[in-house]
Amino acid sequence: MTEVRYNWTKEEIAEIYHRPLLDLVYEAASVHRENKDYSEVQISSLISIKTGGCPEDCAYCPQAARYNTGVDVHAIMPKEEVVAVAQKAKDGGASRLCMGAAWREVRDNRDFDKVIDMVKAVNELDMEVCCTLGMLTEAQAQRLADAGLYAYNHNLDTSEDDYKRIITTRTYDDRLKTLEHVRKAKITVCSGGIIGLGETVEDRISMLKTLSTLPKHPESVPINALVPVQGTPLADQPRVSVWDMVRMIATTRIIMPKTVVRLSAGRTEMSLVEQAFCFMAGANSIFAGEKLLTTPNPSFDTDMAMFDLLGLTPRKAFKNGRPNEIKEIKEMSINEVI
């Protein structure tokens, strides 16, 4: 069985990343089969519960208020509408609903109260609930945990050295502190990045080093390909090569063998064969549904046809237990030791 390590060096990760492609994919596929049911893929659906008007300056994001991207600003969705979308996603095969709000950070106000109610309501559908709401305090993370939140997404986006080129309205340490708060609340962590931002290969390797040397690996690592949006500073970036995506997925699989690796934004530009290569390289999660916040995504029907062809099966919700059950098991183990 592959050893789970938390002391990877940049040199070690670079050596893996630069291996001959077929050797790299073969090793990643072997690691995947040792540690996971390789035919099982976790399906998430992502919705924007509050769209546009964000004060951040993320260079890739169509929801930043300072860019003219044609995205209309919408207030927070009603809970009933969110539940309806969640039910439709569940009927389509999704086991997790991720709710995103275009906020810099969570504020303790009525909108956050509404998000708490949404988390509770979607939980009642027997779906895992994930949120991506910006920066969190420790108390806010605990409140989400108490409501039954399963996962919190907070991507690093790129390397620490490259970060200021992409975002100036918050720091890399701000991102890492939010991940710490999520961990303390015993919510599972979803954190990855974007390739195709104009970063170097060294930046990609550095980002993977940061993720793989956290005190605990993220339970989920999304690998996104930039979807350039007119009006943003990165509108003219060329499409990232699928082989770069495969290398990132395979390297992530090898250095974080127990982690769910999500093939995320950019799938609409990939052929079925290219997506199959990503699954072979160790991807075992996707976003399904026709939209990722504000950018296009393959439909549920298209993905189910691909699953059927490739022999993939959707992962059931709460396969590793519900958050409260996981906490109880950990507490029992501690008590037994004492």
Side-chain angles (χ1 to χ4, degrees):
M1 186 66 69
T2 307
E3 178 190 3
V4 178
R5 291 178 49 193
Y6 301 90
N7 61 345
W8 290 97
T9 66
K10 286 183 183 178
E11 292 75 20
E12 288 173 318
I13 297 171
E15 189 277 325
I16 293 169
Y17 183 94
H18 289 294
R19 286 175 187 171
L21 186 65
L22 294 183
D23 291 344
L24 175 63
V25 171
Y26 179 82
E27 181 175 350
S30 300
V31 169
H32 192 34
R33 281 155 176 74
E34 284 181 9
N35 291 277
K36 299 279 184 182
D37 180 348
Y38 70 90
S39 66
E40 188 178 72
V41 176
Q42 191 267 321
I43 304 175
S44 295
S45 186
L46 176 61
I47 62 169
S48 179
I49 59 172
K50 187 274 173 186
T51 305
C54 182
E56 299 268 40
D57 67 352
C58 307
Y60 53 80
C61 185
Q63 300 200 66
R66 66 193 68 204
Y67 308 138
N68 183 16
T69 62
V71 171
D72 295 328
V73 177
H74 294 288
I76 196 162
M77 288 171 64
K79 179 181 72 174
E80 295 72 22
E81 192 174 335
V82 172
V83 171
V85 172
Q87 184 63 60
K88 182 179 178 181
K90 182 180 179 181
D91 293 343
S95 60
R96 179 180 296 184
L97 184 78
C98 187
M99 301 184 291
W103 294 335
R104 181 177 185 272
E105 71 271 310
V106 172
R107 297 185 184 278
D108 295 308
N109 56 20
R110 284 183 293 178
D111 280 350
F112 188 38
D113 294 341
K114 292 176 182 177
V115 172
I116 294 296
D117 289 340
M118 291 176 193
V119 172
K120 293 176 180 176
V122 176
N123 257 319
E124 291 177 2
L125 298 179
D126 203 32
M127 293 184 78
E128 298 171 4
V129 189
C130 175
C131 283
T132 179
L133 312 170
M135 292 183 288
L136 283 177
T137 65
E138 193 172 335
Q140 290 163 344
Q142 188 58 55
R143 194 174 171 202
L144 286 165
D146 293 341
L149 190 72
Y150 187 86
Y152 195 83
N153 168 260
H154 202 61
N155 289 333
L156 298 183
D157 290 342
T158 185
S159 71
E160 186 172 8
D161 289 342
D162 190 44
Y163 190 79
K164 294 183 184 66
R165 182 179 65 87
I166 304 300
I167 304 163
T168 67
T169 48
R170 70 172 102 167
T171 68
Y172 212 67
D173 280 345
D174 288 334
R175 299 254 175 184
L176 294 173
K177 284 176 185 174
T178 290
L179 296 183
E180 286 179 18
H181 296 156
V182 171
R183 273 284 175 231
K184 285 181 181 178
K186 295 183 173 61
I187 299 168
T188 63
V189 169
C190 176
S191 186
I194 308 169
I195 66 171
L197 300 171
E199 76 286 347
T200 64
V201 170
E202 288 71 23
D203 288 318
R204 298 174 187 175
I205 289 165
S206 180
M207 181 188 72
L208 289 180
K209 179 184 182 293
T210 299
L211 291 169
S212 65
T213 55
L214 290 171
K216 183 178 180 181
H217 294 162
E219 282 79 4
S220 177
V221 173
I223 303 296
N224 296 276
L226 176 70
V227 178
V229 177
Q230 288 302 312
T232 64
L234 299 180
D236 297 325
Q237 279 294 119
R239 177 194 171 195
V240 69
S241 164
V242 67
W243 306 120
D244 287 354
M245 286 289 286
V246 168
R247 285 190 180 279
M248 281 295 288
I249 289 167
T251 304
T252 304
R253 170 55 61 218
I254 291 168
I255 66 174
M256 291 180 272
K258 302 290 187 182
T259 290
V260 170
V261 182
R262 181 172 296 126
L263 174 58
S264 297
R267 279 205 305 127
T268 51
E269 302 298 323
M270 292 184 183
S271 68
L272 191 151
V273 171
E274 289 171 338
Q275 291 182 72
F277 237 101
C278 291
F279 290 121
M280 191 180 301
N284 61 334
S285 178
I286 60 168
F287 278 122
E290 295 177 358
K291 189 176 283 190
L292 296 183
L293 298 181
T294 60
T295 56
N297 195 56
S299 69
F300 279 109
D301 289 345
T302 301
D303 283 330
M304 289 305 100
M306 176 178 68
F307 274 36
D308 186 56
L309 178 66
L310 299 179
L312 302 174
T313 56
R315 172 173 163 164
K316 293 181 180 179
F318 304 110
K319 181 173 180 179
N320 293 331
R322 295 174 181 272
N324 289 337
E325 294 170 350
I326 294 169
K327 287 181 207 174
E328 288 172 6
I329 290 169
K330 286 181 180 176
E331 287 168 3
M332 285 173 58
S333 299
I334 291 169
N335 290 334
E336 286 170 6
V337 171
I338 293 170

